[in-house]
Amino acid sequence: MTEVLFYHLQNMTVENVLPPLLEKSLERGWRVVVQSTSEERADALDGHLWTYRDDSFLPHATWRANDAADQPIVLAIEGGNPNGANVRFLIDNAALPEDAQGYERMVLLFNGDDPDALALARTAWTDCKAKGFDVTYWQADERGRWQKRN
């Protein structure tokens, strides 16, 4: 069964939250697709993932790379699973893909300060529940640690 995690971002950016979550995915041996909604955003994330920490980087490519199928993380802007990923991250209000049931885990990062993003996340929650997915909701505590909420 597909597990879907909803991460409610408040006073946080995708640029700060995404890299540690990607690191954890790679530590588990998972392959990942990160889906945004524009080429510009994917390109900005591409640069960020190489430089987000002085002592580390995340091995990745965009969907345009000739070797995307060989990459542990692929940045994409539309459906498809170019690298046989187990996990798909959806950012910037990217919609659930048609093949959502083909992933072990889907992770939706949404901006809790944006009413449109909240509405889309609620719709996605309802859709995921209707499909029988195992859904959980996560919110950061005052120290920035993720807590599962009911």
Side-chain angles (χ1 to χ4, degrees):
M1 174 190 311
T2 301
E3 180 182 26
V4 184
L5 288 70
F6 287 78
Y7 279 82
H8 186 151
L9 308 184
Q10 286 185 287
N11 302 316
M12 307 168 105
T13 65
V14 168
E15 288 79 7
N16 291 336
V17 172
L18 185 62
L21 294 174
L22 293 175
E23 287 173 345
K24 288 181 181 180
S25 294
L26 294 183
E27 286 169 9
R28 293 178 174 152
W30 291 339
R31 297 173 72 77
V32 178
V33 170
V34 178
Q35 183 179 344
S36 64
T37 55
S38 73
E39 286 189 35
E40 295 79 18
R41 180 68 159 138
D43 289 341
L45 280 174
D46 181 30
H48 179 67
L49 295 180
W50 290 116
T51 62
Y52 76 98
R53 267 191 8 213
D54 290 339
D55 64 342
S56 183
F57 69 92
L58 285 160
H60 70 281
T62 68
W63 76 99
R64 296 180 293 237
N66 290 337
D67 65 345
D70 300 326
Q71 298 299 319
I73 300 170
V74 173
L75 306 176
I77 59 168
E78 50 191 49
N81 191 349
N83 62 341
N86 315 77
V87 180
R88 187 175 201 97
F89 283 78
L90 301 171
I91 62 170
D92 304 329
N93 303 330
L96 284 170
E98 293 292 324
D99 63 347
Q101 72 285 348
Y103 293 89
E104 289 178 43
R105 178 176 284 181
M106 303 282 301
V107 181
L108 281 83
L109 302 176
F110 65 96
N111 181 349
D113 299 319
D114 177 352
D116 292 335
L118 281 172
L120 290 169
R122 287 185 182 118
T123 299
W125 177 278
T126 301
D127 291 348
C128 289
K129 292 288 275 186
K131 292 179 180 180
F133 296 158
D134 179 19
V135 298
T136 56
Y137 172 77
W138 297 83
Q139 194 169 24
D141 64 16
E142 60 280 348
R143 292 186 221 152
R145 292 183 305 200
W146 291 104
Q147 303 293 320
K148 188 175 175 181
R149 306 283 188 202
N150 294 326

